[in-house]
Amino acid sequence: MSTLFGRDILRTDTLSNEELKLILSTAARFEDVTRAGGRLRNMEGRLLATLFFEPSTRTRLSFETAMLRLGGQVISVADPKTSSAVKGESLADSMRTVEGYADVIVIRHPQKGSAQEAADAVAVPVINAGDGAGQHPTQALLDVYTMQKEKGKVDGLTVALAGDLKNGRTVHSLVYLLKRLGARMIFVSPAELEMPPEIVTDLKTGGTDIQITSDLAAAMRSSDVVYVTRIQRERFEDPSRYECLKGSYVVDMALVCQAKPGITIMHPLPRVDEIATEVDAYEGAAYFRQAANGVPIRMALLALLTGRE
Ligand code: NCD
């Protein structure tokens, strides 16, 4: 059994190199079996609970798909308005209740730090599917899995991360994996939406090569991958600031044509207007393939955390 057995997945900087490799290789193995039409029964008799206190399409549905593809079963709170949180129940009490029903719990919650609080309340493995502007580790895992599939490797790639680096939890998790796997990074954002300084300090300790700019076109000329993010409207206290910043960066075909030839375009989705729909037909537009990669990655996590890989 691996060191991931019984663990929580709350952030990416707590995963060892071996654990990261194991998650990626297990995902590839599950993907091969599923693609060949094979049926997996690893999670038979096990139950997953997905508790989503914030909107989601991909993350919740791909976790549920992953569990079903492994022969397990799922219970879900998809709409927070239907849970007892609206009656004033604490997160810890909700978690202790759900622990009585399920073998693994996936939680998304608007408050940073909530996933840790949820995990502290229970003994079963808890997976953070997004805690406010904090972390989103499973998205980051599927992101590096996607880079590996699209580019054949992550080591040595130059990855531009563009958009709302301040509030985007996917990039907060992704940068730690990119550092570990040996990618160079270019951070592209308006000054107001820069990567939190504590994360930049973490990355620079250990000598990761990071450039910070507001020039997306220049960044795309020297990058193998551009990872575009949505301006996180729901994190703005002042809606007028969102109005000023939305549309700051739009990747369209004019930009793609000036970029490094063969550049891969990624986005955790949902997109609002950061990538023009004309880019969808470009062969390096990987964002829907990226979304599909969520299933094997989440299959790997569910199996590894419960010792059923
Ligand atoms: C992201 C999220 O929820 O943080 N979505 C996702 O899980 N794919 C990105 C976003 O909402 O902008």
Side-chain angles (χ1 to χ4, degrees):
M1 216 155 285
S2 84
T3 51
L4 289 164
F5 175 65
R7 284 262 294 280
D8 302 313
I9 303 290
L10 305 178
R11 34 192 313 117
T12 46
D13 55 359
T14 50
L15 293 170
S16 70
N17 285 350
E18 291 67 34
E19 288 163 351
L20 177 54
K21 282 195 194 123
L22 180 63
I23 294 166
L24 297 173
S25 63
T26 306
R29 174 160 55 85
F30 285 154
E31 188 178 350
D32 286 347
V33 175
T34 315
R35 183 163 317 112
R39 276 168 73 91
L40 290 157
R41 290 273 154 255
N42 304 51
M43 296 300 284
E44 195 145 51
R46 297 294 176 107
L47 216 133
L48 164 71
T50 56
L51 304 184
F52 277 66
F53 299 100
E54 262 194 350
S56 170
T57 300
R58 277 151 290 273
T59 305
R60 187 173 61 82
L61 291 180
S62 63
F63 261 115
E64 297 185 358
T65 303
M67 189 64 174
L68 296 170
R69 287 227 180 268
L70 288 169
Q73 289 175 298
V74 177
I75 54 173
S76 187
V77 171
D79 176 357
K81 291 198 284 299
T82 66
S83 85
S84 278
V86 292
K87 298 182 186 169
E89 183 170 53
S90 72
L91 181 59
D93 283 3
S94 298
M95 290 297 291
R96 290 178 67 181
T97 304
V98 175
E99 180 183 33
Y101 312 147
D103 304 290
V104 190
I105 303 174
V106 174
I107 181 167
R108 170 172 288 185
H109 191 283
Q111 208 172 315
K112 188 175 170 182
S114 55
Q116 181 71 60
E117 189 187 326
D120 289 343
V122 297
V124 297
V126 172
I127 303 176
N128 178 10
D131 60 325
Q135 294 271 322
H136 192 351
T138 67
Q139 177 70 44
L141 286 162
L142 78 89
D143 293 339
V144 293
Y145 184 66
T146 301
M147 286 178 203
Q148 218 169 55
K149 281 176 67 180
E150 299 284 327
K151 294 296 197 194
K153 58 167 191 175
V154 179
D155 184 24
L157 292 181
T158 299
V159 180
L161 300 148
D164 189 346
L165 306 185
K166 177 181 178 206
N167 300 301
R169 55 196 174 197
T170 71
V171 288
H172 297 169
S173 290
L174 176 57
V175 290
Y176 289 98
L177 297 185
L178 291 177
K179 171 183 175 170
R180 194 175 280 269
L181 294 172
R184 283 185 289 276
M185 293 175 240
I186 307 179
F187 295 166
V188 190
S189 71
E192 202 171 323
L193 300 178
E194 278 181 358
M195 185 66 80
E198 63 277 14
I199 296 183
V200 176
T201 307
D202 273 359
L203 297 173
K204 286 194 167 159
T205 316
T208 308
D209 183 353
I210 300 168
Q211 246 177 280
I212 297 175
T213 176
S214 54
D215 186 344
L216 180 59
M220 285 175 63
R221 277 196 291 275
S222 54
S223 295
D224 303 291
V225 177
V226 59
Y227 185 98
V228 186
T229 64
R230 174 179 70 88
I231 310 282
Q232 307 278 301
R233 180 209 291 259
E234 65 275 35
R235 310 285 176 228
F236 281 70
E237 276 166 28
D238 174 0
S240 69
R241 288 313 301 158
Y242 172 76
E243 292 305 319
C244 296
L245 290 163
K246 74 169 189 203
S248 310
Y249 292 109
V250 176
V251 173
D252 56 14
M253 275 320 286
L255 266 186
V256 173
C257 293
Q258 296 166 41
K260 182 165 177 177
I263 190 168
T264 296
I265 302 172
M266 295 177 58
H267 191 306
L269 303 178
R271 108 178 109 181
V272 183
D273 55 6
E274 319 74 52
I275 301 179
T277 52
E278 65 185 17
V279 178
D280 298 0
Y282 164 65
E283 64 174 19
Y287 26 96
F288 291 108
R289 294 192 291 275
Q290 181 184 353
N293 288 333
V295 174
I297 280 292
R298 289 167 174 136
M299 289 171 81
L301 287 169
L302 292 169
L304 286 163
L305 300 187
T306 56
R308 297 221 166 177
E309 68 272 27

